[in-house]
Amino acid sequence: MKVLLSILWTATAAPYSVRRGARVWAALIGLPDPDGKGAARVNDALRTLTKEKFLRSDRQRGKTAELTLLSELGTGADYSHPGEAWAAAKEADPRERRRVQRYVKLPVTLWTSGWIAELDGAALAMLLILMSAARGRDPEDLWFTPQVASDRYALSETTRARGIAELKRYGLVAVYRTPVVRDHISSRRFRNTYTLNTHVFELHPEAALEAAAAKKPETPLSPIAAVERLGLQR
């Protein structure tokens, strides 16, 4: 995932291809021993991405392989830039526009401040999920049921919990146990809601850790506070 995201970050113009050796990708995403074991791990990742039709790898003797992006759907179709597709769809019929895949932008500081190397795979996966969930919604009241999380993203509960814990440790997400309130009557049912703090990416990971450690821990919202926060009427 880190390798694919990094290729998406660098191959920004048609034909959406790039020539970089495995050592370069290993160093960029912070793998140890980038000249040896790190490069080997990247090559394994590239083979998997090629097999699953996310990339095409064109090799020429004596040259670094040219990596060309393919559709994120894994169909093997040519890659199309989501921003260009969305811009074109805005001029089209509204029904056609709804069929265009929407997208989210990752902050450039994910790479320039070293976050891509700092976050583990589970945390990065949950970051992408939360950013997708926040698209067009209030980033302070994100939630999804375990069933939806499992069906849509095929991540285990252990992976989700580990990823959220890592994001929380850096202050990238705040987690609240919020009562499920349908009216003014107190509820004993709770669910996790998430607040996404993407501004934390402006900090270096070490600074983010210090800032997060200095904050008071989150506490569950009272039913009345939950009503007010969700904008419900008593």
Side-chain angles (χ1 to χ4, degrees):
M1 183 169 54
K2 289 186 178 185
V3 172
L4 181 58
L5 288 176
S6 297
I7 295 173
L8 283 164
W9 181 52
T10 54
T12 57
Y16 305 109
S17 60
V18 63
R19 288 186 188 272
R20 297 286 188 279
R23 181 190 63 79
V24 176
W25 300 117
L28 178 63
I29 63 178
L31 293 180
D33 187 17
D35 292 312
K37 293 181 179 179
R41 289 177 61 186
V42 167
N43 281 324
D44 285 342
L46 292 174
R47 281 191 288 270
T48 298
L49 291 170
T50 301
K51 179 182 177 182
E52 298 298 330
K53 300 181 181 180
F54 291 108
L55 290 176
R56 184 175 66 248
S57 179
D58 298 315
R59 294 186 174 276
Q60 296 179 7
R61 189 170 183 177
K63 290 186 177 181
T64 301
E66 182 177 34
L67 304 172
T68 301
L69 289 168
L70 298 176
S71 169
E72 300 100 318
L73 297 178
T75 61
D78 291 341
Y79 176 81
S80 59
H81 192 283
E84 294 173 359
W86 182 249
K90 291 176 71 173
E91 305 298 327
D93 184 277
R95 291 171 297 180
E96 188 70 26
R97 191 183 312 161
R98 286 195 293 269
R99 287 194 283 267
V100 176
Q101 289 192 15
R102 297 187 180 185
Y103 65 100
V104 296
K105 289 185 177 181
L106 297 178
V108 67
T109 46
L110 185 68
W111 290 271
T112 59
S113 293
W115 284 100
I116 193 73
E118 191 74 15
L119 297 177
D120 64 17
L124 191 56
M126 290 310 302
L127 173 68
L128 296 176
I129 290 170
L130 290 173
M131 291 187 72
S132 177
R135 186 185 58 220
R137 293 175 53 190
D138 183 354
E140 294 186 357
D141 286 306
L142 304 175
W143 68 278
F144 43 78
T145 66
Q147 187 65 43
V148 168
S150 177
D151 293 346
R152 184 173 297 175
Y153 303 109
L155 294 178
S156 69
E157 178 59 31
T158 300
T159 299
R160 293 197 298 272
R162 192 174 77 243
I164 289 293
E166 182 78 353
L167 295 175
K168 182 179 177 181
R169 190 166 72 94
Y170 285 98
L172 287 164
V173 67
V175 183
Y176 299 92
R177 290 287 292 165
T178 307
V180 179
V181 180
R182 297 184 182 277
D183 52 30
H184 67 282
I185 301 175
S186 298
S187 172
R188 293 184 180 275
R189 294 178 58 213
F190 287 79
R191 69 184 176 206
N192 284 342
T193 60
Y194 307 96
T195 295
L196 192 58
N197 302 317
T198 53
H199 64 274
V200 174
F201 278 119
E202 300 300 322
L203 302 175
H204 187 275
E206 290 183 3
L209 274 179
E210 293 177 2
K215 281 188 176 181
K216 294 182 179 179
E218 297 92 4
T219 56
L221 295 178
S222 69
I224 292 177
V227 169
E228 294 173 347
R229 180 172 180 176
L230 296 174
L232 302 177
Q233 298 295 323
R234 295 186 182 185

